């Protein structure tokens, strides 16, 4: 594994590094870790890596790694930079023959996203997208319950992702993560929608297997002088007639990462909270609510995908980093299968890919179009 991004003071690169190494299947061998070449070089000391493989730029990484024999050379590279860099870096890596694990949102436009779909198809490389919330065992269990029809026909989906960390203009204090997230050039056309709205969109489609067809959205910028939205409120129509409410916010004071989802079918409902991820609440019609708890054998019996995504027995909580690791385990098995010219374990194909990335960008373009429009519904732009 190599990495682009994740330099000193960066947030998500270090989570990727911890998660990728969790199961002993992936070894980090180098990277181009920072936009500042000197800081990237310095990461060899921080991460105990060969200084020769801590490159000044991603272009240098590609050039020098290609000179190494296969087996020594990086098999794949994780792209953990701000959004505007995902497309150019992923494109060059794929075209040079590397498999790619990319952060979300996949690109900053539908055009770039479509292009990446084509490049992945042409190069036959494995492309993973870090919609990490699909990596939680109880989310996989929820998906499999819906798939088995245990809730009946789905009628209503409520998904929320409120945070409060951008309730004031911390981008003006130089806070690294806030600075680029509120800059349209680096973040894309929607701030809150791109950063966390896409997670809500992806989670609702992953669990229900449904597709959004229409949005009615309002984007607001509450903090004075901020250049992108910091609050999203959206009504949704799904392709089976189900209705939804999606809200995401960065100004909801007191909220941390309160991603949660409620799914209601004709014969049951379910509820999952990211901040308490080891529990899935299932509500069969006319019966008491059930609390399904991660790590119990009944979870794996109902959902082999959830069982596979579980490392520890019940009562020993697993959460954010393990969910990333679950995406990495499946991605690694798929890369390995590609290298060995065999079919991967079918359960390993359960990780978000370039098509989810395109869907995310289409969601954002529809969201922005709807927010600008006076008509009630805007058709999902596919
Ligand atoms: P960050 O600002 O903390 O880190 C970004 C890093 O990328 C920095 O070290 C920066 O120097 C480096 N970088 C920038 N351009 C580069 C380039 N051209 N070459 C090499 N390095 C470069 O940002 P972050 O909060 O870690 O977010 C990074 C990405 O991860 C974003 O796309 C964000 O949306 C995504 N993210 C995803 C999750 C998740 O839950 N899946 C959570 C946080 C962030």
């Amino acid at each position: 594994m190599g990495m682009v991004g994740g330099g000193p003071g960066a947030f998500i690169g270090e989570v990727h590094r911890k998660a990728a190494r969790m199961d002993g299947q992936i070894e980090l061998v180098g990277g181009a870790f920072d936009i500042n070449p000197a800081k990237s070089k310095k990461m060899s000391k921080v991460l105990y890596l060969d200084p020769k493989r801590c490159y000044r730029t991603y272009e240098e990484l590609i050039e020098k790694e290609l000179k190494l024999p296969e087996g020594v050379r990086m098999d794949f590279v994780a792209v953990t930079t701000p959004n505007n860099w995902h497309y150019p870096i992923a494109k060059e890596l794929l075209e040079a023959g590397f498999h790619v694990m990319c952060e979300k949102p996949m690109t900053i436009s539908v055009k770039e996203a479509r292009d990446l779909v084509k490049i992945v198809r042409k190069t036959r490389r494995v492309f993973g997208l870090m919609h990490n919330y699909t990596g939680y065992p109880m989310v996989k269990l929820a998906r499999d319950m819906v798939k088995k029809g245990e809730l009946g026909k789905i009628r209503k989906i409520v998904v929320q992702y409120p945070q409060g960390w951008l309730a004031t203009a911390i981008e003006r204090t130089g806070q690294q993560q806030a600075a680029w997230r509120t800059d349209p050039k680096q973040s894309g056309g929607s701030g809150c929608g791109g950063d966390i709205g896409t997670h809500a969109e992806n989670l609702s489609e992953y669990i229900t297997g449904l597709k959004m067809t229409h949005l009615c959205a309002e984007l607001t910028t509450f903090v004075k002088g901020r250049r992108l939205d910091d609050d999203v409120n959206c009504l949704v129509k799904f392709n089976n007639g189900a209705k939804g409410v999606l809200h995401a916010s960065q100004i909801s004071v007191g909220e941390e990462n309160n991603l949660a989802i409620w799914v209601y079918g004709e014969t049951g409902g379910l509820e999952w909270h990211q901040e308490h991820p080891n529990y899935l609440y299932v509500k069969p019609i006319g019966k008491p609510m059930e609390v399904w708890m991660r790590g119990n054998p009944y979870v794996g019996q109902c959902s082999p995908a959830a069982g596979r995504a579980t490392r520890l027995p019940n009562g020993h909580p697993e959460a954010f980093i393990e969910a990333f690791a679950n995406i990495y385990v499946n991605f690694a098995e798929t890369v390995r299968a590609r290298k060995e010219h065999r079919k991967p374990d079918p359960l390993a194909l359960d990780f978000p890919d370039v098509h989810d990335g395109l869907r995310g960008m289409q969601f954002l373009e529809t969201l922005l179009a709807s927010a600008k429009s006076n008509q009630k519904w805007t058709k999902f732009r596919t």
Side-chain angles (χ1 to χ4, degrees):
M1 171 186 184
M3 177 172 279
V4 183
F11 168 37
I12 215 65
E14 182 54 26
V15 176
H16 279 251
R17 290 193 285 259
K18 289 190 164 81
R21 291 184 287 203
M22 183 174 283
D23 296 289
Q25 299 188 31
I26 296 171
E27 181 194 1
L28 179 75
V29 293
F33 296 101
D34 203 280
I35 188 81
N36 176 333
K39 286 188 181 171
S40 177
K41 295 290 296 174
K42 273 194 193 143
M43 288 301 280
S44 70
K45 285 216 168 75
V46 179
L47 298 170
Y48 302 97
L49 294 171
D50 179 351
K52 288 206 271 319
R53 296 180 83 178
C54 291
Y55 301 103
R56 298 170 62 78
T57 62
Y58 74 90
E59 289 98 334
E60 188 193 6
L61 177 152
I62 293 174
E63 188 201 322
K64 300 252 168 82
E65 285 291 319
L66 284 179
K67 291 187 178 139
L68 299 173
E70 221 190 313
V72 176
R73 187 193 311 157
M74 296 165 183
D75 290 315
F76 78 90
V77 179
V79 180
T80 66
T81 60
N83 309 345
N84 61 314
W85 284 104
H86 296 173
Y87 171 74
I89 296 174
K91 175 177 158 48
E92 285 203 36
L93 285 166
L94 290 163
E95 288 176 345
F98 296 94
H99 305 284
V100 169
M101 172 62 79
C102 186
E103 259 304 344
K104 48 48 64 180
M106 186 168 80
T107 60
I108 53 169
S109 72
V110 168
K111 190 173 173 299
E112 288 180 351
R114 279 195 204 290
D115 206 31
L116 271 193
V117 171
K118 279 193 211 137
I119 295 167
V120 169
R121 199 175 295 143
K122 194 164 143 221
T123 58
R124 299 199 67 255
R125 300 296 86 188
V126 181
F127 186 95
L129 187 75
M130 194 44 87
H131 271 304
N132 47 300
Y133 301 110
T134 66
Y136 285 88
M138 302 316 265
V139 166
K140 294 184 187 296
L141 173 64
R143 187 240 357 226
D144 287 345
M145 282 182 164
V146 172
K147 206 191 269 178
K148 286 183 187 172
E150 289 182 17
L151 273 54
K153 187 182 172 213
I154 303 304
R155 289 170 163 165
K156 169 114 193 209
I157 298 146
V158 179
V159 61
Q160 64 169 38
Y161 200 152
Q163 301 177 329
W165 72 294
L166 289 179
T168 60
I170 57 168
E171 61 268 34
R172 273 177 247 150
T173 68
Q175 207 274 4
Q176 178 178 328
Q177 284 73 29
W180 72 256
R181 276 178 174 78
T182 54
D183 172 5
K185 280 208 186 98
Q186 298 181 75
S187 198
S190 165
C192 177
D195 201 37
I196 51 177
T198 47
H199 276 312
E201 167 263 333
N202 181 262
L203 184 67
S204 62
E205 291 197 346
Y206 179 80
I207 289 182
T208 63
L210 299 174
K211 298 281 179 217
M212 296 182 175
T213 59
H214 294 80
L215 303 182
C216 169
E218 183 165 42
L219 303 185
T220 310
T221 307
F222 278 106
V223 172
K224 249 195 175 158
R226 181 165 287 160
R227 287 176 291 166
L228 288 172
D229 55 274
D230 47 29
D231 192 70
V232 173
N233 296 292
C234 184
L235 298 177
V236 185
K237 284 194 205 180
F238 288 87
N239 60 344
N240 75 335
K243 302 292 163 71
V245 181
L246 180 155
H247 89 85
S249 177
Q250 295 164 321
I251 52 83
S252 293
V253 174
E255 300 297 343
E256 295 177 327
N257 276 284
N258 197 356
L259 171 65
I261 186 163
W262 292 258
V263 180
Y264 302 101
E266 288 175 353
T267 59
L270 59 78
E271 176 179 345
W272 180 78
H273 294 258
Q274 193 269 156
E275 291 180 352
H276 307 280
N278 292 279
Y279 305 98
L280 179 71
Y281 302 94
V282 181
K283 306 161 188 181
I285 193 164
K287 292 192 184 147
M289 182 172 79
E290 300 164 2
V291 185
W292 288 57
M293 298 184 283
R294 188 207 52 78
N296 287 286
Y298 57 74
V299 172
Q301 281 153 18
C302 179
S303 163
R308 180 184 153 87
T310 301
R311 290 174 188 73
L312 294 172
N314 51 3
H316 295 305
E318 293 182 316
F320 195 66
I321 300 182
E322 284 88 348
F324 275 71
N326 290 334
I327 306 267
Y328 266 111
V329 164
N330 287 350
F331 174 80
E333 158 62 8
T334 308
V335 169
R336 203 179 296 119
R338 192 67 59 92
K339 284 170 73 79
E340 293 167 359
H341 307 288
R342 62 171 170 83
K343 287 213 161 95
D345 176 342
L347 284 177
L349 293 170
D350 181 13
F351 63 88
D353 65 11
V354 74
H355 301 286
D356 297 281
L358 173 59
R359 212 55 217 149
M361 292 317 299
Q362 290 168 336
F363 166 74
L364 287 177
E365 284 205 0
T366 313
L367 197 72
L368 284 161
S370 170
K372 278 192 203 120
S373 158
N374 285 326
Q375 75 193 40
K376 184 167 175 191
W377 290 108
T378 301
K379 200 165 178 306
F380 201 95
R381 302 188 161 186
T382 51

